[in-house]
Amino acid sequence: MIRRITIALAALAAAFAVPACAQRLDETPRTVVMTAFYPEWHSLVPTIRDAKEHTINGSTFLTGTLEGKPVVLLQSGVSVVNAAMSTQIVLDRFNVKRIVFSGIAGGVDPSLSIGDVVVAENWGQYLEGSFARKTKRGWMPPDQGHPESPANWNFIFPRGTLITSAAAKMQRVYRIPVDADLLALARKVVPTIALERCVQPSDKMRPGSALCLPRTPKVVVGGTGVTAGIYADNAAFRIYLQRAWKARVLDMESAAVMQVAMSNSVPAIVFRSLSDLAGGDQHKNMEYTFEHLASANSAHVVRAFVAALPD
């Protein structure tokens, strides 16, 4: 009798140990509109029509329409692991046509200012690298590097990102290109979009105390964006990223989203509005002052872009 019970319990445990297959929650072909954290999410939630909530692993995925186009809106959480995990979840659970990311970022290109929106043409992971040992001959990384590798910063030597996909064998890349057709559409649609210049008064601000930027922000398309799981606020490292990577903007999610999209052969593009200058701010990092303004500006551009997408 004891033996039978033991066998039954073992069979039950084995049954529960089998991972559940991801089940599609919605079969409508949709554009994923992706954000990282709450200001970006809240800038878009009110614009979703016929919204329906889906909860996966405690996260909310909102289906509906944006500018008349079927979408699923999600908040990935900050940093590369959360971004990659959320991207794969939405690809597994929904019928995804493309990914459009809307968010804030730190400015690296000195020609850009807070509030500007950048649509980079490619994304790299700047801390996917080797920490070299110090020798009498200088820094010695464990490998010989690659012709396409950006220059090192002291002991940090970029190594690129290994990517696999159904369409190609494993390859090492330093910059992941956004989808060419989506980028071409962005070049046509977004450069003339009007952006916000002032932070509107909140409960913490006295009436009439709106904070305005010295000039109206602009939208720029092209160049490189870079990503790492680091909150970067260092003037010297900012200069390095601009010189070695030719970076215009940095953040904590975009390259991870692009990597997962590339591995799944799904078109993707990223829109980022500058909330700060990643160490180039004059007195202190300005993200907490301008994150809502930057989130709104990115959302403005993304809404116009989604409206222009083909049916």
Side-chain angles (χ1 to χ4, degrees):
M1 180 67 178
I2 293 176
R3 183 172 180 273
R4 291 178 181 174
I5 294 175
T6 302
I7 293 173
L9 290 174
L12 185 63
F16 279 101
V18 176
C21 295
Q23 294 182 339
R24 284 284 181 90
L25 299 179
D26 182 282
E27 289 296 339
T28 302
R30 296 184 185 276
T31 296
V32 171
V33 179
M34 197 167 179
T35 66
F37 79 135
Y38 67 94
E40 303 161 350
W41 165 264
H42 288 309
S43 291
L44 286 163
V45 167
T47 66
I48 304 298
R49 300 289 175 259
D50 303 316
K52 180 181 178 181
E53 288 190 9
H54 307 266
T55 301
I56 307 171
N57 295 349
S59 297
T60 299
F61 294 74
L62 204 63
T63 56
T65 61
L66 175 65
E67 302 298 324
K69 305 297 172 61
V71 299
V72 51
L73 176 68
L74 68 97
Q75 182 182 171
S76 70
V78 173
S79 203
V80 289
V81 174
N82 285 327
M85 177 179 65
S86 296
T87 304
Q88 191 61 59
I89 286 174
V90 77
L91 292 175
D92 290 342
R93 297 301 187 98
F94 296 89
N95 186 356
V96 176
K97 296 175 67 175
R98 62 184 72 86
I99 298 173
V100 178
F101 200 110
S102 177
I104 67 174
V108 178
D109 185 339
S111 71
L112 300 176
S113 302
I114 289 174
D116 291 347
V117 175
V118 179
V119 191
E121 58 192 287
N122 54 61
W123 286 87
Q125 298 199 44
Y126 66 85
L127 284 187
E128 189 77 39
S130 300
F131 281 19
R133 69 171 60 194
K134 194 171 187 178
T135 71
K136 293 180 180 180
R137 293 183 295 168
W139 299 113
M140 295 295 292
D143 50 32
Q144 298 302 311
H146 189 279
E148 296 180 9
S149 173
N152 62 299
W153 189 77
N154 295 326
F155 58 87
I156 303 175
F157 285 73
R159 297 188 70 217
T161 304
L162 288 174
I163 298 181
T164 59
S165 69
K169 295 180 179 179
M170 182 177 291
Q171 55 184 315
R172 186 181 300 276
V173 299
Y174 289 87
R175 294 172 176 85
I176 303 171
V178 306
D179 181 75
D181 291 337
L182 296 180
L183 185 66
L185 180 63
R187 291 187 189 279
K188 293 179 181 179
V189 171
V190 303
T192 59
I193 294 173
L195 300 178
E196 300 288 341
R197 178 171 166 258
C198 297
V199 177
Q200 298 303 316
S202 66
D203 294 339
K204 296 180 180 179
M205 300 172 66
R206 295 189 302 273
S209 61
L211 181 62
C212 294
L213 297 167
R215 64 167 183 79
T216 301
K218 62 182 181 295
V219 184
V220 295
V221 182
T224 294
V226 291
T227 295
I230 296 289
Y231 189 107
D233 188 37
N234 183 280
F237 197 73
R238 176 180 185 259
I239 292 171
Y240 157 74
L241 290 174
Q242 200 277 324
R243 290 178 176 173
W245 285 84
K246 301 295 186 287
R248 308 192 81 174
V249 60
L250 64 79
D251 64 32
M252 299 175 69
E253 298 86 23
S254 296
V257 174
M258 291 303 307
Q259 180 176 345
V260 177
M262 183 178 182
S263 292
N264 287 273
S265 301
V266 174
I269 192 169
V270 178
F271 298 80
R272 290 284 186 170
S273 180
L274 307 191
S275 60
D276 62 274
L277 300 180
D281 311 87
Q282 187 172 3
H283 300 295
K284 65 175 183 177
N285 187 283
M286 299 301 289
E287 181 196 336
Y288 295 120
T289 301
F290 289 109
E291 62 183 12
H292 294 285
L293 172 67
S295 295
N297 278 344
S298 182
H300 285 329
V301 178
V302 164
R303 288 178 62 188
F305 180 79
V306 170
L309 286 171
D311 293 330

